[in-house]
Amino acid sequence: MSPIYEPRRTAVLLIDPYNDFLSEGGRIWPRLAAMAGEVGLLDHLRSVVGSAREAGVRVVFVPHRRWEPDDYATWAHPNPTQLGIMERHSFARGTWGGEFHPDFLPQAGDIVIQEHWAQSGFANTDLDFQLKQHGITHVVLVGLLANTCIESTGRFAMELGYHVTLVRDATAAFEPAMMHAAHDLNGPTYAHAITTTDGLTAAFEGAHA
């Protein structure tokens, strides 16, 4: 049985919709392009966000830290992703790559959360506070990457007591094995629902009707 998403209690968490991830010419796009094309990522993200707004479901932007010079350089334990960011300057503040994709810009009523330093959108940010202040109980995770920020944010949400939904074709990763792990191996250990864009938008339309 599909979950029922009450619009005023549901939020779509749009994670890291940066040009570096989603646009031709982005620093990370070449590593994602094949998988993004296979799942129809951009069209499905447009569908999820558009359907959410039509149904009155809140859209919450959950952005990664935008790189600045000397970020992580003095940290005791930067993780492998952060070390990579130090080298390639992903999502650099003040650059095109560090801007949101033009199809995914905040609109009136959306919430933009404080930038997360690592992989969880909850750790060291105001995400939990904002969700609670807006009465959110159900979160739907879309964006990037399936096996890192999506998974870390989803696990944290479950630990905090939220109902968690993953959307198989509104996310991507670098390799098919990573997608398999995210949705078939790891996802079922914490997510309450794992669906597709079509399934989710139908549920939103049903809740809105």
Side-chain angles (χ1 to χ4, degrees):
M1 182 176 179
S2 299
I4 296 174
Y5 299 97
E6 185 180 349
R8 67 185 184 89
R9 290 190 168 277
T10 303
V12 167
L13 306 188
L14 179 55
I15 299 177
D16 299 348
Y18 288 122
N19 282 321
D20 269 345
F21 263 151
L22 293 174
S23 297
E24 292 281 351
R27 291 178 182 272
I28 308 174
W29 173 251
R31 298 184 66 189
L32 281 167
M35 186 60 59
E38 181 176 325
V39 302
L41 175 63
L42 286 166
D43 284 343
H44 288 144
L45 286 175
R46 293 183 189 105
S47 293
V48 169
V49 172
S51 176
R53 288 182 171 137
E54 289 177 7
V57 170
R58 195 173 294 274
V59 177
V60 179
F61 286 72
V62 184
H64 201 282
R65 165 74 178 181
R66 299 173 206 235
W67 178 84
E68 296 183 14
D70 298 326
D71 274 1
Y72 316 115
T74 59
W75 283 28
H77 308 291
N79 67 40
T81 298
Q82 290 161 343
L83 292 174
I85 289 173
M86 289 174 65
E87 294 180 3
R88 62 179 175 264
H89 304 167
S90 309
F91 326 127
R93 195 177 303 279
T95 70
W96 170 84
E99 296 174 358
F100 293 143
H101 186 285
D103 291 349
F104 308 110
L105 300 176
Q107 297 184 9
D110 296 347
I111 300 171
V112 180
I113 298 303
Q114 294 168 349
E115 297 173 1
H116 51 273
W117 283 91
Q119 295 176 351
S120 172
F122 285 97
N124 305 305
T125 76
D126 60 335
L127 178 53
D128 183 50
F129 178 80
Q130 289 278 11
L131 294 177
K132 285 185 167 63
Q133 286 295 324
H134 290 87
I136 302 300
T137 58
H138 289 54
V139 293
V140 177
L141 281 69
V142 299
L144 298 158
L145 294 164
N147 61 313
T148 57
C149 291
I150 294 284
E151 180 168 335
S152 292
T153 303
R155 285 187 181 278
F156 209 134
M158 174 273 293
E159 297 285 1
L160 291 170
Y162 295 96
H163 181 285
V164 177
T165 296
L166 304 179
V167 187
R168 289 177 177 272
D169 54 5
T171 185
F174 297 144
E175 300 175 8
M178 295 175 177
M179 292 286 277
H180 173 67
H183 300 124
D184 299 314
L185 302 181
N186 297 340
T189 69
Y190 68 89
H192 304 87
I194 302 176
T195 187
T196 62
T197 296
D198 287 347
L200 180 71
T201 56
F204 282 175
E205 290 168 4
H208 182 54

